[in-house]
Amino acid sequence: MRVRRKTVAAGFLLVVCATLLLLLSSPRAQNEQVPVTESEDPLLEQRLSDLQRRLQEAENLNKRREDELYALLSRMGPGPQPVAGSKLPAHVDAGDAAGTINGTRSLHHFSAVLEDIHRSVSSLQVPGIHSYLPHLTGHPEYLRPAVHLSKGRKGVSIAIGVPTIKREKSSYLIQTLNSLIQSLTAQESQDCVIVVFIAEPWDQKYAESVIDSLKQNFAESLASGLLEVLVPPAGFYPNLDNLKETFGDTKERVKWRTKQNLDYAFLMLHSRPKSMYYVQMEDDVVAKPGYLTIMNTFAKQQKDEWIMLEFSTLGFIGKMFKSTDVPIIVEFFLMFHADKPIDWLLDHLLWVKVCNPEKDVKHCQRMIQAVRRRFKPSLFQHIGTESSLKGKVQKLKDRDFGKAGLYRAHVNPPVQLASSLKTYMKYTLPKAYTGETFFWASSPNKGDIIDFKYDPPIHIEKYLFRSGNTDHPGDVFRNTTLEIQPSKNISGERLAALSFQSGIYAEELANTSPGFIPIGRFNDHGLAQGEIIEEFNPVKVLRIHVHKASNAWVILSEIMIQQAKSKKR
């Protein structure tokens, strides 16, 4: 980076020297004080044009390069200004220049050219991190981690940011990471990255002690790339000792919340390129097993636009954002980083994005709820009692954590749905299939069916249908079988043998739908699951078939159709 700045500076010096030599060697410049226009010096015009083109390319290709060039020009001064009693630019030594050219109109013209260049570069600038943290100008090293342990994992579904700071008494970081990592399956651990952000840039010994502890406890996760460690540079943070005290907060609390906002900004910007979604975590939580797949599935099931998905009711725990939205979210945080705490800023951001000032509060709340969606039950629980703010004790608990969900979502293949059952309110079959809610219907009668039609037919590896839920455990399918309609013919003898092995009652076998093959039934707990052998694949229709009337209503709380990977179309 230093070489690049020297190159740009050398370019400017080259333009200055070339112009002076041309002016000095010109008879008209020596004998007459006539302004030299750009048309009289094609070489200078070409160089200036080329310089502007390079600046434009830098803006398009890399915003950081533009910031560095702007920082270089800023160190030259706020723009060429004449020194008192002369026509020279402010950054040109008047004594030296006077010995060569004594305030000629040609140098006045050159000063104007440099001012045009300065304005041209400045016009490319848009509000960004240097606007909100001006002390970063000219210091690109302040945007790079001081310490970064990483295997460079990218292209995963979810990046989880875990900021941690030094606490007076207890640290929950190891317990938190144990829970997050141990709750992952082998496949899930390949599709995420956990970034530990040690937000103690002024305490090198503490940061080193945490890193040593992580190496001892999570060597395998570090080696695989699942776990990364990040320490920010001290220079990223502005002076936090002269902040304005607002909202009745003490100076210490204002400093703490401001630094926390900056911590989140650095961590989110660093983690964003690694994944499709970014999830904000804290260093004092425990996770529910299977949390990663649940979050991933819930995000993919969302059809309408959303800004944030919540997997915990507490603070900034379990909050998911699309990585493409992170830059604008972070910019909003930076814009007001010294004004309000992070949760307030998040509320304001949502209000700005979706609320209509001409509408009432209830309308605003509905609009926010449409883009800020909550998953129940919570996947993360707060375990710490000692806050990261010195002296503060918080006994926050998520009441929804640990509760069994009323439904479970899966990413199922495209389907055409049909049912003879009467749906109750908004609990429709399509919503249950896509994982938005459960399917709820009034009491089934003999002969009622639910069809899952696949056109073209698909190869199904496994299936699972779970009926009932914790609120209505009795609303399960009874005397109900699973049938399939294959796309190819099966011999009668083979069909009879396979049907006998399926465990289906004789009466149910006799009532099997024409052209269908029985493959399983709902057990006494309302669960039907199994595999479909290759001989029956591909499948045109999978059917739930009721053989006896029931007084109880029925709920399908989970639908999972696992398509064979090698056979996906």
Side-chain angles (χ1 to χ4, degrees):
M1 200 65 68
R2 185 176 301 168
V3 173
R4 186 181 300 142
R5 291 200 296 270
K6 289 182 178 179
T7 302
V8 176
F12 275 101
L13 291 176
L14 179 61
V15 174
V16 173
C17 294
T19 305
L20 291 176
L21 289 173
L22 288 169
L23 291 173
L24 290 172
S25 61
S26 170
R28 292 183 61 187
Q30 293 173 356
N31 301 324
E32 304 177 20
Q33 292 186 356
V34 179
V36 178
T37 63
E38 291 181 356
S39 60
E40 293 173 329
D41 192 350
L43 182 60
L44 177 59
E45 181 181 3
Q46 181 180 354
R47 288 176 177 172
L48 292 176
S49 176
D50 182 67
L51 177 61
Q52 289 178 333
R53 178 184 60 79
R54 289 169 59 193
L55 290 173
Q56 184 65 51
E57 290 177 351
E59 208 285 330
N60 293 333
L61 295 176
N62 194 319
K63 183 66 169 61
R64 184 177 295 178
R65 294 180 185 176
E66 176 202 323
D67 290 337
E68 292 168 5
L69 180 56
Y70 180 69
L72 176 63
L73 293 174
S74 298
R75 291 199 295 276
M76 294 180 180
Q81 301 293 332
V83 178
S86 73
K87 298 295 184 178
L88 299 178
H91 56 274
V92 176
D93 185 86
D96 293 340
T100 307
I101 298 177
N102 189 14
T104 63
R105 279 180 291 169
S106 298
L107 270 183
H108 177 69
H109 169 74
F110 180 69
S111 176
V113 171
L114 283 183
E115 188 173 1
D116 287 341
I117 295 175
H118 192 281
R119 279 198 300 267
S120 176
V121 177
S122 298
S123 67
L124 296 175
Q125 300 299 305
V126 295
I129 193 168
H130 292 89
S131 302
Y132 312 121
L133 300 174
H135 71 284
L136 298 178
T137 301
H139 295 283
E141 68 275 11
Y142 292 167
L143 295 173
R144 293 191 293 266
V147 178
H148 188 200
L149 303 182
S150 171
K151 294 297 182 179
R153 178 179 289 195
K154 291 184 178 181
V156 296
S157 294
I158 295 176
I160 302 173
V162 184
T164 185
I165 69 170
K166 186 177 182 179
R167 300 174 188 260
E168 281 191 327
K169 298 179 181 179
S170 303
S171 173
Y172 311 97
L173 178 62
I174 300 300
Q175 185 178 353
T176 295
L177 294 177
N178 269 323
S179 179
L180 291 174
I181 293 173
Q182 292 176 6
S183 297
L184 298 172
T185 65
Q187 183 176 359
E188 289 173 335
S189 65
Q190 298 295 320
D191 195 32
C192 72
V193 59
I194 301 172
V195 183
V196 177
F197 182 77
I198 307 175
E200 292 290 353
W202 301 283
D203 194 339
Q204 184 177 355
K205 289 185 177 180
Y206 176 76
E208 290 175 351
S209 68
V210 174
I211 292 173
D212 289 341
S213 178
L214 295 177
K215 288 180 177 179
Q216 293 175 6
N217 289 276
F218 305 103
E220 184 177 345
S221 297
L222 287 167
S224 68
L226 170 62
L227 190 64
E228 291 192 10
V229 184
L230 189 66
V231 181
F236 175 74
Y237 300 86
N239 186 348
L240 300 175
D241 294 324
N242 298 318
L243 297 170
K244 182 180 178 181
E245 297 178 20
T246 56
F247 305 107
D249 287 343
T250 63
K251 183 177 181 179
E252 182 183 6
R253 186 178 181 89
V254 172
K255 181 177 180 179
W256 169 77
R257 78 186 193 204
T258 299
K259 179 184 174 295
Q260 187 180 62
N261 290 341
L262 296 173
D263 291 341
Y264 287 133
F266 194 102
L267 174 57
M268 292 175 75
L269 287 176
H270 172 84
S271 304
R272 179 190 69 85
K274 300 178 180 296
S275 60
M276 182 182 301
Y277 306 110
Y278 173 79
V279 175
Q280 185 64 54
M281 204 62 63
E282 293 185 7
D283 65 347
D284 52 358
V285 301
V286 291
K288 183 177 180 180
Y291 70 89
L292 193 87
T293 296
I294 295 173
M295 289 194 298
N296 209 0
T297 302
F298 187 69
K300 291 179 179 178
Q301 300 292 356
Q302 305 305 311
K303 293 183 178 180
D304 300 325
E305 284 298 314
W306 57 274
I307 297 175
M308 182 175 73
L309 302 181
E310 295 186 273
F311 298 93
S312 172
T313 61
L314 302 176
F316 213 23
I317 299 173
K319 303 299 186 280
M320 174 184 280
F321 307 94
K322 287 174 281 190
S323 292
T324 52
D325 289 343
V326 165
I328 192 171
I329 294 171
V330 170
E331 184 170 4
F332 192 87
F333 290 167
L334 290 175
M335 198 180 306
F336 305 103
H337 68 274
D339 298 314
K340 292 185 177 182
I342 194 73
D343 50 344
W344 290 11
L345 292 181
L346 191 56
D347 289 339
H348 290 316
L349 172 64
L350 295 174
W351 190 95
V352 170
K353 291 282 285 184
V354 301
C355 288
N356 187 338
E358 298 179 355
K359 301 289 185 178
D360 58 18
V361 175
K362 291 184 178 179
H363 181 271
C364 179
Q365 291 175 343
R366 289 196 300 270
M367 296 302 294
I368 290 177
Q369 288 176 356
V371 297
R372 180 178 187 166
R373 300 173 191 171
R374 172 82 199 288
F375 178 87
K376 295 182 180 181
S378 298
L379 301 180
F380 307 98
Q381 179 65 284
H382 184 263
I383 58 173
T385 57
E386 180 189 355
S387 171
S388 57
L389 177 61
K390 184 178 180 180
K392 180 183 178 182
V393 176
Q394 54 183 13
K395 298 182 179 180
L396 301 176
K397 295 296 178 184
D398 193 324
R399 296 180 180 180
D400 284 337
F401 181 79
K403 291 183 178 179
L406 298 180
Y407 65 94
R408 182 169 181 177
H410 291 277
V411 180
N412 293 314
V415 71
Q416 298 175 18
L417 298 168
S419 175
S420 60
L421 293 167
K422 185 178 180 180
T423 302
Y424 176 67
M425 297 182 67
K426 63 180 180 180
Y427 303 101
T428 64
L429 184 60
K431 287 185 177 181
Y433 190 80
T434 57
E436 295 180 52
T437 184
F438 52 86
F439 170 62
W440 204 359
S442 55
S443 304
N445 294 310
K446 181 179 179 179
D448 275 333
I449 60 171
I450 300 175
D451 277 352
F452 303 84
K453 301 178 180 179
Y454 300 98
D455 185 18
I458 65 171
H459 288 252
I460 298 177
E461 188 175 277
K462 297 179 181 179
Y463 65 87
L464 184 149
F465 295 93
R466 191 184 306 277
S467 60
N469 60 28
T470 54
D471 285 356
H472 302 277
D475 289 359
V476 298
F477 278 103
R478 298 177 176 86
N479 303 300
T480 303
T481 60
L482 270 295
E483 305 170 353
I484 60 170
Q485 184 181 43
S487 60
K488 56 187 178 183
N489 295 325
I490 308 294
S491 67
E493 293 182 1
R494 181 62 175 158
L495 180 59
L498 292 172
S499 298
F500 179 77
Q501 297 174 5
S502 64
I504 297 175
Y505 302 151
E507 182 181 352
E508 295 171 342
L509 284 174
N511 290 328
T512 298
S513 305
F516 283 76
I517 301 173
I519 59 171
R521 69 188 315 275
F522 283 84
N523 62 22
D524 294 339
H525 303 289
L527 176 67
Q529 63 179 335
E531 299 180 0
I532 297 180
I533 61 176
E534 181 59 27
E535 188 175 354
F536 289 165
N537 276 298
V539 175
K540 295 171 60 177
V541 181
L542 193 155
R543 171 173 290 179
I544 296 176
H545 188 169
V546 179
H547 295 278
K548 286 185 179 180
S550 174
N551 293 327
W553 287 25
V554 289
I555 286 175
L556 270 180
S557 55
E558 184 176 2
I559 301 173
M560 186 274 288
I561 306 297
Q562 183 173 318
Q563 192 174 354
K565 294 181 180 180
S566 60
K567 301 294 184 179
K568 287 184 179 180
R569 294 177 180 265

